[in-house]
Structure formats: C-alpha cells, structure tokens
mmCIF file of all heavy atoms in Angstrom:
data_model
loop_
_atom_site.group_PDB
_atom_site.id
_atom_site.type_symbol
_atom_site.label_atom_id
_atom_site.label_comp_id
_atom_site.label_asym_id
_atom_site.label_seq_id
_atom_site.Cartn_x
_atom_site.Cartn_y
_atom_site.Cartn_z
ATOM 1 N N VAL A 1 0.798 -1.230 0.000
ATOM 2 C CA VAL A 1 0.000 0.000 0.000
ATOM 3 C C VAL A 1 0.831 1.280 0.000
ATOM 4 O O VAL A 1 0.286 2.362 -0.207
ATOM 5 C CB VAL A 1 -1.014 0.054 1.178
ATOM 6 C CG1 VAL A 1 -2.025 -1.076 1.058
ATOM 7 C CG2 VAL A 1 -0.312 0.029 2.516
ATOM 8 N N LYS A 2 2.133 1.172 0.182
ATOM 9 C CA LYS A 2 2.972 2.382 0.252
ATOM 10 C C LYS A 2 2.829 3.216 -1.023
ATOM 11 O O LYS A 2 2.960 2.695 -2.124
ATOM 12 C CB LYS A 2 4.432 1.989 0.470
ATOM 13 C CG LYS A 2 5.325 3.178 0.766
ATOM 14 C CD LYS A 2 6.669 2.709 1.312
ATOM 15 C CE LYS A 2 7.653 3.827 1.523
ATOM 16 N NZ LYS A 2 7.155 5.006 2.155
ATOM 17 N N ASP A 3 2.512 4.494 -0.818
ATOM 18 C CA ASP A 3 2.344 5.460 -1.911
ATOM 19 C C ASP A 3 1.198 5.121 -2.862
ATOM 20 O O ASP A 3 1.157 5.629 -3.987
ATOM 21 C CB ASP A 3 3.651 5.632 -2.714
ATOM 22 C CG ASP A 3 4.775 6.173 -1.849
ATOM 23 O OD1 ASP A 3 4.494 7.001 -0.953
ATOM 24 O OD2 ASP A 3 5.930 5.748 -2.057
ATOM 25 N N ARG A 4 0.281 4.263 -2.443
ATOM 26 C CA ARG A 4 -0.880 3.917 -3.274
ATOM 27 C C ARG A 4 -2.132 4.557 -2.679
ATOM 28 O O ARG A 4 -2.270 4.660 -1.456
ATOM 29 C CB ARG A 4 -1.097 2.385 -3.311
ATOM 30 C CG ARG A 4 0.102 1.552 -3.724
ATOM 31 C CD ARG A 4 0.340 1.431 -5.209
ATOM 32 N NE ARG A 4 -0.625 0.692 -5.980
ATOM 33 C CZ ARG A 4 -0.627 -0.629 -6.132
ATOM 34 N NH1 ARG A 4 0.243 -1.391 -5.522
ATOM 35 N NH2 ARG A 4 -1.530 -1.194 -6.913
ATOM 36 N N GLU A 5 -3.050 4.966 -3.554
ATOM 37 C CA GLU A 5 -4.336 5.488 -3.105
ATOM 38 C C GLU A 5 -5.252 4.313 -2.795
ATOM 39 O O GLU A 5 -5.449 3.440 -3.649
ATOM 40 C CB GLU A 5 -4.965 6.376 -4.181
ATOM 41 C CG GLU A 5 -4.232 7.677 -4.366
ATOM 42 C CD GLU A 5 -4.948 8.617 -5.322
ATOM 43 O OE1 GLU A 5 -5.986 8.237 -5.915
ATOM 44 O OE2 GLU A 5 -4.454 9.745 -5.476
ATOM 45 N N ILE A 6 -5.778 4.287 -1.582
ATOM 46 C CA ILE A 6 -6.692 3.215 -1.179
ATOM 47 C C ILE A 6 -7.760 3.786 -0.249
ATOM 48 O O ILE A 6 -7.667 4.907 0.226
ATOM 49 C CB ILE A 6 -5.969 2.047 -0.457
ATOM 50 C CG1 ILE A 6 -5.465 2.469 0.922
ATOM 51 C CG2 ILE A 6 -4.841 1.475 -1.294
ATOM 52 C CD1 ILE A 6 -5.312 1.306 1.874
ATOM 53 N N THR A 7 -8.741 2.951 0.047
ATOM 54 C CA THR A 7 -9.677 3.226 1.125
ATOM 55 C C THR A 7 -9.829 1.939 1.926
ATOM 56 O O THR A 7 -9.281 0.900 1.560
ATOM 57 C CB THR A 7 -11.033 3.773 0.611
ATOM 58 O OG1 THR A 7 -11.755 4.283 1.731
ATOM 59 C CG2 THR A 7 -11.850 2.716 -0.115
ATOM 60 N N SER A 8 -10.562 2.026 3.023
ATOM 61 C CA SER A 8 -10.745 0.864 3.902
ATOM 62 C C SER A 8 -11.857 1.219 4.877
ATOM 63 O O SER A 8 -12.388 2.327 4.864
ATOM 64 C CB SER A 8 -9.461 0.590 4.691
ATOM 65 O OG SER A 8 -9.207 1.657 5.604
ATOM 66 N N TYR A 9 -12.161 0.279 5.743
ATOM 67 C CA TYR A 9 -13.071 0.572 6.843
ATOM 68 C C TYR A 9 -12.438 1.687 7.662
ATOM 69 O O TYR A 9 -11.219 1.709 7.881
ATOM 70 C CB TYR A 9 -13.280 -0.688 7.701
ATOM 71 C CG TYR A 9 -14.483 -0.599 8.594
ATOM 72 C CD1 TYR A 9 -15.762 -0.666 8.047
ATOM 73 C CD2 TYR A 9 -14.342 -0.449 9.968
ATOM 74 C CE1 TYR A 9 -16.883 -0.577 8.866
ATOM 75 C CE2 TYR A 9 -15.455 -0.371 10.794
ATOM 76 C CZ TYR A 9 -16.722 -0.426 10.228
ATOM 77 O OH TYR A 9 -17.817 -0.340 11.037
ATOM 78 N N ASN A 10 -13.241 2.634 8.095
ATOM 79 C CA ASN A 10 -12.721 3.837 8.749
ATOM 80 C C ASN A 10 -11.842 3.541 9.966
ATOM 81 O O ASN A 10 -10.867 4.232 10.218
ATOM 82 C CB ASN A 10 -13.879 4.756 9.143
ATOM 83 C CG ASN A 10 -13.386 6.118 9.550
ATOM 84 O OD1 ASN A 10 -12.666 6.769 8.802
ATOM 85 N ND2 ASN A 10 -13.743 6.553 10.743
ATOM 86 N N SER A 11 -12.154 2.490 10.717
ATOM 87 C CA SER A 11 -11.398 2.219 11.955
ATOM 88 C C SER A 11 -9.950 1.811 11.689
ATOM 89 O O SER A 11 -9.129 1.859 12.600
ATOM 90 C CB SER A 11 -12.095 1.143 12.794
ATOM 91 O OG SER A 11 -12.022 -0.108 12.156
ATOM 92 N N ILE A 12 -9.614 1.410 10.453
ATOM 93 C CA ILE A 12 -8.216 1.042 10.155
ATOM 94 C C ILE A 12 -7.535 2.090 9.269
ATOM 95 O O ILE A 12 -6.441 1.858 8.762
ATOM 96 C CB ILE A 12 -8.088 -0.375 9.567
ATOM 97 C CG1 ILE A 12 -8.739 -0.495 8.193
ATOM 98 C CG2 ILE A 12 -8.646 -1.414 10.544
ATOM 99 C CD1 ILE A 12 -8.339 -1.768 7.446
ATOM 100 N N LYS A 13 -8.186 3.252 9.121
ATOM 101 C CA LYS A 13 -7.612 4.351 8.328
ATOM 102 C C LYS A 13 -6.181 4.670 8.794
ATOM 103 O O LYS A 13 -5.258 4.780 7.984
ATOM 104 C CB LYS A 13 -8.509 5.589 8.460
ATOM 105 C CG LYS A 13 -7.941 6.848 7.874
ATOM 106 C CD LYS A 13 -8.879 8.024 8.121
ATOM 107 C CE LYS A 13 -8.284 9.329 7.639
ATOM 108 N NZ LYS A 13 -9.202 10.456 7.884
ATOM 109 N N LYS A 14 -5.995 4.817 10.094
ATOM 110 C CA LYS A 14 -4.682 5.163 10.635
ATOM 111 C C LYS A 14 -3.652 4.074 10.330
ATOM 112 O O LYS A 14 -2.503 4.372 10.005
ATOM 113 C CB LYS A 14 -4.795 5.390 12.151
ATOM 114 C CG LYS A 14 -3.565 5.964 12.778
ATOM 115 C CD LYS A 14 -3.498 7.448 12.538
ATOM 116 C CE LYS A 14 -2.491 8.085 13.467
ATOM 117 N NZ LYS A 14 -2.312 9.489 13.170
ATOM 118 N N ASP A 15 -4.068 2.801 10.402
ATOM 119 C CA ASP A 15 -3.164 1.697 10.064
ATOM 120 C C ASP A 15 -2.692 1.820 8.619
ATOM 121 O O ASP A 15 -1.526 1.571 8.306
ATOM 122 C CB ASP A 15 -3.858 0.337 10.237
ATOM 123 C CG ASP A 15 -4.279 0.061 11.664
ATOM 124 O OD1 ASP A 15 -3.765 0.707 12.588
ATOM 125 O OD2 ASP A 15 -5.148 -0.812 11.852
ATOM 126 N N MET A 16 -3.614 2.195 7.731
ATOM 127 C CA MET A 16 -3.279 2.313 6.305
ATOM 128 C C MET A 16 -2.323 3.485 6.071
ATOM 129 O O MET A 16 -1.345 3.358 5.334
ATOM 130 C CB MET A 16 -4.550 2.500 5.465
ATOM 131 C CG MET A 16 -5.511 1.313 5.507
ATOM 132 S SD MET A 16 -4.749 -0.252 4.989
ATOM 133 C CE MET A 16 -4.479 -1.044 6.563
ATOM 134 N N ILE A 17 -2.588 4.608 6.727
ATOM 135 C CA ILE A 17 -1.715 5.781 6.600
ATOM 136 C C ILE A 17 -0.330 5.453 7.154
ATOM 137 O O ILE A 17 0.696 5.784 6.548
ATOM 138 C CB ILE A 17 -2.348 6.998 7.300
ATOM 139 C CG1 ILE A 17 -3.607 7.437 6.525
ATOM 140 C CG2 ILE A 17 -1.348 8.144 7.426
ATOM 141 C CD1 ILE A 17 -4.493 8.436 7.255
ATOM 142 N N ASN A 18 -0.293 4.746 8.294
ATOM 143 C CA ASN A 18 0.991 4.352 8.885
ATOM 144 C C ASN A 18 1.762 3.388 7.988
ATOM 145 O O ASN A 18 2.991 3.328 8.052
ATOM 146 C CB ASN A 18 0.787 3.726 10.278
ATOM 147 C CG ASN A 18 0.390 4.767 11.309
ATOM 148 O OD1 ASN A 18 0.582 5.959 11.119
ATOM 149 N ND2 ASN A 18 -0.173 4.301 12.403
ATOM 150 N N ALA A 19 1.050 2.640 7.150
ATOM 151 C CA ALA A 19 1.697 1.718 6.205
ATOM 152 C C ALA A 19 2.114 2.443 4.921
ATOM 153 O O ALA A 19 2.638 1.814 4.001
ATOM 154 C CB ALA A 19 0.748 0.559 5.877
ATOM 155 N N GLY A 20 1.839 3.758 4.871
ATOM 156 C CA GLY A 20 2.290 4.547 3.731
ATOM 157 C C GLY A 20 1.252 4.815 2.663
ATOM 158 O O GLY A 20 1.555 5.385 1.615
ATOM 159 N N ALA A 21 0.014 4.386 2.901
ATOM 160 C CA ALA A 21 -1.043 4.575 1.907
ATOM 161 C C ALA A 21 -1.542 6.012 1.893
ATOM 162 O O ALA A 21 -1.453 6.726 2.898
ATOM 163 C CB ALA A 21 -2.206 3.630 2.196
ATOM 164 N N LYS A 22 -2.077 6.401 0.754
ATOM 165 C CA LYS A 22 -2.776 7.679 0.621
ATOM 166 C C LYS A 22 -4.261 7.351 0.742
ATOM 167 O O LYS A 22 -4.891 6.926 -0.228
ATOM 168 C CB LYS A 22 -2.464 8.318 -0.729
ATOM 169 C CG LYS A 22 -0.994 8.646 -0.908
ATOM 170 C CD LYS A 22 -0.711 9.110 -2.319
ATOM 171 C CE LYS A 22 0.772 9.315 -2.528
ATOM 172 N NZ LYS A 22 1.094 9.447 -3.958
ATOM 173 N N TRP A 23 -4.817 7.504 1.951
ATOM 174 C CA TRP A 23 -6.176 7.053 2.254
ATOM 175 C C TRP A 23 -7.201 8.067 1.771
ATOM 176 O O TRP A 23 -7.045 9.267 1.954
ATOM 177 C CB TRP A 23 -6.319 6.830 3.754
ATOM 178 C CG TRP A 23 -7.538 6.058 4.141
ATOM 179 C CD1 TRP A 23 -7.634 4.692 4.228
ATOM 180 C CD2 TRP A 23 -8.820 6.576 4.502
ATOM 181 N NE1 TRP A 23 -8.899 4.337 4.614
ATOM 182 C CE2 TRP A 23 -9.655 5.469 4.785
ATOM 183 C CE3 TRP A 23 -9.354 7.846 4.595
ATOM 184 C CZ2 TRP A 23 -10.977 5.602 5.168
ATOM 185 C CZ3 TRP A 23 -10.683 7.993 4.969
ATOM 186 C CH2 TRP A 23 -11.484 6.876 5.254
ATOM 187 N N LYS A 24 -8.273 7.571 1.149
ATOM 188 C CA LYS A 24 -9.361 8.423 0.667
ATOM 189 C C LYS A 24 -10.685 7.890 1.193
ATOM 190 O O LYS A 24 -10.863 6.678 1.283
ATOM 191 C CB LYS A 24 -9.394 8.438 -0.861
ATOM 192 C CG LYS A 24 -8.165 9.055 -1.489
ATOM 193 C CD LYS A 24 -8.346 9.125 -2.988
ATOM 194 C CE LYS A 24 -7.315 9.991 -3.657
ATOM 195 N NZ LYS A 24 -7.435 11.397 -3.429
ATOM 196 N N ASP A 25 -11.607 8.789 1.487
ATOM 197 C CA ASP A 25 -12.940 8.400 1.953
ATOM 198 C C ASP A 25 -13.890 8.389 0.756
ATOM 199 O O ASP A 25 -14.600 9.347 0.508
ATOM 200 C CB ASP A 25 -13.418 9.373 3.037
ATOM 201 C CG ASP A 25 -14.711 8.918 3.687
ATOM 202 O OD1 ASP A 25 -15.138 7.770 3.441
ATOM 203 O OD2 ASP A 25 -15.294 9.711 4.446
ATOM 204 N N GLN A 26 -13.842 7.294 -0.011
ATOM 205 C CA GLN A 26 -14.685 7.126 -1.201
ATOM 206 C C GLN A 26 -15.211 5.695 -1.222
ATOM 207 O O GLN A 26 -14.617 4.799 -0.640
ATOM 208 C CB GLN A 26 -13.867 7.362 -2.481
ATOM 209 C CG GLN A 26 -13.374 8.767 -2.660
ATOM 210 C CD GLN A 26 -12.402 8.915 -3.820
ATOM 211 O OE1 GLN A 26 -11.622 9.842 -3.839
ATOM 212 N NE2 GLN A 26 -12.431 8.000 -4.768
ATOM 213 N N SER A 27 -16.319 5.498 -1.949
ATOM 214 C CA SER A 27 -16.919 4.156 -1.995
ATOM 215 C C SER A 27 -15.988 3.139 -2.640
ATOM 216 O O SER A 27 -15.971 1.979 -2.260
ATOM 217 C CB SER A 27 -18.255 4.192 -2.725
ATOM 218 O OG SER A 27 -18.061 4.512 -4.090
ATOM 219 N N VAL A 28 -15.220 3.584 -3.622
ATOM 220 C CA VAL A 28 -14.240 2.690 -4.245
ATOM 221 C C VAL A 28 -13.069 3.536 -4.724
ATOM 222 O O VAL A 28 -13.250 4.647 -5.216
ATOM 223 C CB VAL A 28 -14.859 1.853 -5.399
ATOM 224 C CG1 VAL A 28 -15.312 2.726 -6.556
ATOM 225 C CG2 VAL A 28 -13.907 0.778 -5.890
ATOM 226 N N VAL A 29 -11.862 3.018 -4.516
ATOM 227 C CA VAL A 29 -10.646 3.675 -4.975
ATOM 228 C C VAL A 29 -9.861 2.654 -5.786
ATOM 229 O O VAL A 29 -9.682 1.511 -5.358
ATOM 230 C CB VAL A 29 -9.787 4.181 -3.786
ATOM 231 C CG1 VAL A 29 -8.470 4.765 -4.275
ATOM 232 C CG2 VAL A 29 -10.562 5.205 -2.965
ATOM 233 N N VAL A 30 -9.419 3.067 -6.976
ATOM 234 C CA VAL A 30 -8.627 2.190 -7.844
ATOM 235 C C VAL A 30 -7.262 2.839 -8.061
ATOM 236 O O VAL A 30 -7.177 4.012 -8.411
ATOM 237 C CB VAL A 30 -9.324 1.963 -9.199
ATOM 238 C CG1 VAL A 30 -8.502 1.015 -10.072
ATOM 239 C CG2 VAL A 30 -10.729 1.413 -9.012
ATOM 240 N N ASP A 31 -6.205 2.083 -7.834
ATOM 241 C CA ASP A 31 -4.845 2.561 -8.061
ATOM 242 C C ASP A 31 -4.042 1.415 -8.672
ATOM 243 O O ASP A 31 -3.671 0.467 -7.992
ATOM 244 C CB ASP A 31 -4.220 3.018 -6.739
ATOM 245 C CG ASP A 31 -2.838 3.655 -6.921
ATOM 246 O OD1 ASP A 31 -2.116 3.280 -7.873
ATOM 247 O OD2 ASP A 31 -2.470 4.510 -6.111
ATOM 248 N N GLN A 32 -3.818 1.506 -9.979
ATOM 249 C CA GLN A 32 -3.024 0.499 -10.699
ATOM 250 C C GLN A 32 -3.455 -0.934 -10.377
ATOM 251 O O GLN A 32 -2.654 -1.761 -9.978
ATOM 252 C CB GLN A 32 -1.539 0.670 -10.385
ATOM 253 C CG GLN A 32 -0.980 2.023 -10.763
ATOM 254 C CD GLN A 32 0.413 2.237 -10.203
ATOM 255 O OE1 GLN A 32 1.194 1.295 -10.119
ATOM 256 N NE2 GLN A 32 0.718 3.456 -9.810
ATOM 257 N N GLY A 33 -4.728 -1.206 -10.562
ATOM 258 C CA GLY A 33 -5.227 -2.559 -10.366
ATOM 259 C C GLY A 33 -5.608 -2.908 -8.945
ATOM 260 O O GLY A 33 -6.156 -3.974 -8.690
ATOM 261 N N LEU A 34 -5.306 -2.035 -8.001
ATOM 262 C CA LEU A 34 -5.688 -2.250 -6.606
ATOM 263 C C LEU A 34 -7.045 -1.581 -6.384
ATOM 264 O O LEU A 34 -7.172 -0.372 -6.520
ATOM 265 C CB LEU A 34 -4.619 -1.644 -5.686
ATOM 266 C CG LEU A 34 -4.678 -1.976 -4.211
ATOM 267 C CD1 LEU A 34 -4.599 -3.480 -3.986
ATOM 268 C CD2 LEU A 34 -3.517 -1.292 -3.491
ATOM 269 N N VAL A 35 -8.056 -2.398 -6.085
ATOM 270 C CA VAL A 35 -9.433 -1.910 -5.924
ATOM 271 C C VAL A 35 -9.808 -2.066 -4.460
ATOM 272 O O VAL A 35 -9.814 -3.173 -3.931
ATOM 273 C CB VAL A 35 -10.410 -2.731 -6.800
ATOM 274 C CG1 VAL A 35 -11.841 -2.212 -6.642
ATOM 275 C CG2 VAL A 35 -9.979 -2.722 -8.262
ATOM 276 N N THR A 36 -10.119 -0.932 -3.793
ATOM 277 C CA THR A 36 -10.472 -0.997 -2.373
ATOM 278 C C THR A 36 -11.787 -0.274 -2.115
ATOM 279 O O THR A 36 -12.131 0.686 -2.810
ATOM 280 C CB THR A 36 -9.356 -0.377 -1.489
ATOM 281 O OG1 THR A 36 -9.039 0.939 -1.964
ATOM 282 C CG2 THR A 36 -8.101 -1.247 -1.507
#
C-alpha cells in the first residue's frame, strides 16, 4: 500500500496511513489494479 491510493473501513484508516497509503474516503478507490 505504500504510496498507493486506497480506502478501507474507517477504523483502520490510521493503520493504512501508517503503512504509507494515501487514504481516501470514497466508496471505491482504484490505483493500478488495486481496488479498495
């Protein structure tokens, strides 16, 4: 997830940011084949 745009359940948002993700609050986020 590092440097990738993703989303997730809100309670793990901080975990995703800490892993280097660019977290977005959207129903679906696609980044180079990664669909979240």
Side-chain angles (χ1 to χ4, degrees):
V1 297
K2 189 166 175 45
D3 298 325
R4 306 278 292 276
E5 290 186 356
I6 69 155
T7 193
S8 67
Y9 197 72
N10 192 54
S11 69
I12 66 166
K13 171 183 175 180
K14 189 79 165 174
D15 297 341
M16 296 303 103
I17 292 168
N18 288 341
K22 298 173 185 166
W23 194 88
K24 296 185 167 289
D25 188 10
Q26 294 171 203
S27 66
V28 65
V29 175
V30 182
D31 185 330
Q32 300 169 35
L34 191 58
V35 181
T36 52

